[in-house]
């Protein structure tokens, strides 16, 4: 099916100009293929229904015409649905709640007439529900929830890990950067800013066990939420026990300590029990965006992200691994935030459906929670503040970090791991590289970006430099 011109959407030129204001992506192969971080006509195929059956070559002319007519109707409905959701969002932003309610009601009518188990119907259902929740926060029934089972956040995260290559990419690229940084060290201390189920660390422990000359002493400090009647502390302890047993089975000297904090900017030096002589590593997987604040926040109050980065810089780790969503969802205006998110999550659902031939309901619930936070949350209530790689480079450079480039070897390893660990080769996933960074992409649209950093001193003296660190030159711009 050909691309759908953006001009088909029935809207005024001013609105169209707002929606097509794309930021230049940092990944060149993505740019060459038309990927964008705002609304881009080339992204419409991700929003259109899947599984349409083309008429057989031998079908009668009448059947072929009927099939073509049905396809055109589906495409028209998809375009109309996207337009209504975007228009509804604009009306909410303008305070015209009566118009927003009418747009939402018409969106619901279209959703009732099309399939909601795939394509545009699936992703639009979540965004329509989020808009309804925003319109009628006092009346939860106004936003009928998708038929998704309830589950704890840890279970949602676990099922999201299994549903696609997203977290596997994050963990494997971070682990490779850690292994390179601690090569030859006898004692390693990893501070994981979000331990979760500790799924990342068996791969690292196994790699260390194979190191020539024997493995180093490994200490992991796992950060988790503050205990609620002891529950969180018990979870950290259980993860630590499992990791200790695994390390023992491979002959890796191991020590684990759990630390509970309400928020990462509450971490202090004394909590981490830093030991001189250990190779210190900080690891952040999809956590830093949660510490961002609105651009108009009081500058006299240090932002949580600055507090944490100051701590990490002060402790001078050998490497600071960072993986974040490659998306632009931290806009103060709802309309821009909504449109960026709509197309990002359309690609996410599209890729997840292709990965497993369907979407696990709990993995879908995990993404739905992110959508609701982006659409409904404002101020301190919003934590899914995803930003693009360029902004993270600027922020980390100002904090006193220099980027450690992923070299050609890391690109090959990441690609091989993506293929072998997930069996998704040839399905639309790929690894993109730009100036020492790696990104997991779906049809050349970056979804998650991985970077590695080292502390070089205070403030902006880092200048955004990319350190080679002896791991290969020839980084493609």
């Amino acid at each position: 099916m050909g691309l759908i011109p953006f001009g088909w959407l029935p809207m005024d030129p001013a609105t169209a100009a707002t929606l097509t204001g794309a930021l230049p992506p940092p990944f060149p192969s993505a740019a060459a293929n038309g990927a964008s971080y705002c609304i881009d006509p080339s992204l419409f195929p991700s929003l259109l229904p899947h599984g349409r059956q083309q008429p057989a070559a031998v079908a009668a002319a009448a059947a072929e015409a009927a099939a073509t007519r049905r396809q055109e109707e589906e495409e028209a409905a998809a375009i109309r649905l996207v337009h209504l959701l975007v228009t509804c969002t604009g009306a909410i932003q303008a305070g015209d709640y009566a118009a927003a309610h009418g747009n939402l009601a018409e969106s619901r009518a279209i959703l009732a007439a099309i399939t909601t188990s795939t394509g545009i119907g699936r992703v639009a259902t979540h965004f329509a529900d989020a808009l309804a929740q925003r319109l009628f926060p006092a009346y939860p029934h106004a936003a009928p929830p998708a038929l998704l089972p309830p589950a704890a956040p840890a279970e949602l995260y676990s099922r999201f890990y299994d549903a696609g290559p997203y977290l596997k990419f994050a963990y494997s690229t971070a682990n490779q950067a850690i292994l390179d940084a601690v090569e030859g060290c006898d004692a390693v201390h990893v501070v994981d800013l979000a331990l979760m189920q500790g799924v990342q660390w068996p791969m690292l422990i196994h790699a260390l066990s194979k190191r020539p000359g024997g493995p180093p002493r490994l200490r992991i400090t796992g950060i988790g939420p503050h205990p609620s009647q002891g529950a969180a502390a018990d979870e950290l302890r259980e993860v630590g026990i499992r990791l200790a047993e695994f390390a023992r089975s491979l002959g890796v000297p191991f020590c684990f300590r759990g630390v509970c904090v309400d928020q990462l900017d509450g971490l202090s030096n004394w909590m981490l029990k830093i030991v001189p002589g250990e190779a210190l590593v900080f690891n952040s997987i999809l956590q830093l965006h949660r510490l961002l604040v609105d651009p108009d926040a009081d500058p006299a109050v240090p932002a949580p992200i600055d507090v944490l980065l100051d701590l990490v810089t002060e402790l001078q780790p050998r490497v600071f691994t960072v993986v974040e969503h490659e998306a632009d969802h931290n806009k103060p205006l709802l309309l821009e935030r909504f449109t960026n998110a709509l197309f990002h999550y359309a690609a996410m659902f599209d890729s997840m459906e292709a990965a497993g031939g369907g979407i696990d309901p709990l993995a879908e619930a995990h993404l739905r929670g992110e959508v609701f936070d982006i659409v409904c949350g404002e101020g301190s209530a919003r934590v899914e503040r995803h930003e693009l790689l360029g902004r993270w480079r600027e922020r980390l450079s100002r904090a006193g970090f220099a980027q450690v480039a992923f070299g050609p070897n890391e690109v090959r390893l990441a690609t091989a791991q993506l293929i072998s660990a997930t069996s998704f080769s040839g399905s639309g996933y790929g690894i993109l590289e730009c100036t020492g960074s790696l990104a997991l992409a779906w049809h050349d649209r970056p979804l998650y970006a991985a970077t590695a950093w080292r502390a070089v001193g205070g403030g902006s003296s880092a200048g955004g430099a990319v350190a080679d660190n002896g791991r290969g030159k020839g980084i493609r711009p």
Side-chain angles (χ1 to χ4, degrees), residues 23 45 153 169 213 233 277 338 401 411 433:
L23 295 173
F169 162 80
F338 179 93
F401 293 93
V411 177
E433 180 195 10

Side-chain angles (χ1 to χ4, degrees), residues 21 35 40 90 98 115 119 142 179 214 219 325 337 354 421 427 439 444 463 469:
D40 186 316
T115 178
L179 288 170
R219 184 157 67 101
H325 305 72
R337 200 163 73 230
S427 65
D444 281 341
N469 201 32

Side-chain angles (χ1 to χ4, degrees), residues 268-404:
S268 298
N269 191 328
W270 65 268
M271 296 179 180
L272 303 178
K273 307 291 185 184
I274 303 299
V275 176
E278 289 182 328
L280 181 62
V281 171
F282 273 80
N283 180 72
S284 174
I285 306 297
L286 308 182
Q287 294 303 309
L288 296 188
H289 67 267
R290 295 174 168 269
L291 303 178
L292 300 179
V293 296
D294 286 331
D296 58 355
D298 185 357
V301 179
I305 185 66
D306 296 329
V307 174
L308 176 67
L309 293 181
D310 285 347
L311 172 66
V312 179
T313 307
E314 175 189 346
L315 295 176
Q316 296 284 298
R318 278 181 172 260
V319 71
F320 180 25
T321 50
V322 176
V323 178
E324 282 292 335
H325 305 72
E326 183 61 6
D328 194 14
H329 303 153
N330 195 28
K331 299 295 187 181
L333 295 180
L334 174 62
L335 179 58
E336 191 171 3
R337 200 163 73 230
F338 179 93
T339 52
N340 289 347
L342 177 61
F343 282 82
H344 174 80
Y345 283 98
M348 284 295 299
F349 281 113
D350 193 22
S351 66
M352 188 180 292
E353 185 171 344
I359 298 182
D360 180 281
L362 293 184
E364 182 173 4
H366 174 82
L367 294 183
R368 176 180 169 89
E370 293 184 357
V371 169
F372 267 62
D373 184 274
I374 293 167
V375 175
C376 300
E378 293 293 348
S380 60
R382 180 156 51 88
V383 297
E384 299 296 343
R385 295 175 172 271
H386 313 144
E387 290 192 345
L388 299 172
L389 174 62
R391 294 200 186 98
W392 286 114
R393 279 202 179 111
E394 294 172 1
R395 184 176 289 108
L396 288 162
S397 296
R398 287 196 306 267
F401 293 93
Q403 189 176 347
V404 181

Side-chain angles (χ1 to χ4, degrees), residues 121-142:
R122 182 190 292 274
V123 68
T125 294
H126 298 307
F127 278 87
D129 288 351
L131 288 173
Q133 183 63 44
R134 171 133 189 171
L135 265 175
F136 310 108
Y139 304 97
H141 66 274

Side-chain angles (χ1 to χ4, degrees), residues 82-139:
V82 171
H83 170 68
L84 286 168
L85 292 174
V86 172
T87 304
C88 175
T89 306
I92 293 175
Q93 181 174 295
D96 189 349
Y97 300 114
H101 183 271
N103 295 141
L104 186 59
E106 191 173 348
S107 300
R108 295 282 195 208
I110 293 178
L111 286 169
I114 65 176
T115 178
T116 57
S117 60
T118 186
I120 178 60
R122 182 190 292 274
V123 68
T125 294
H126 298 307
F127 278 87
D129 288 351
L131 288 173
Q133 183 63 44
R134 171 133 189 171
L135 265 175
F136 310 108
Y139 304 97

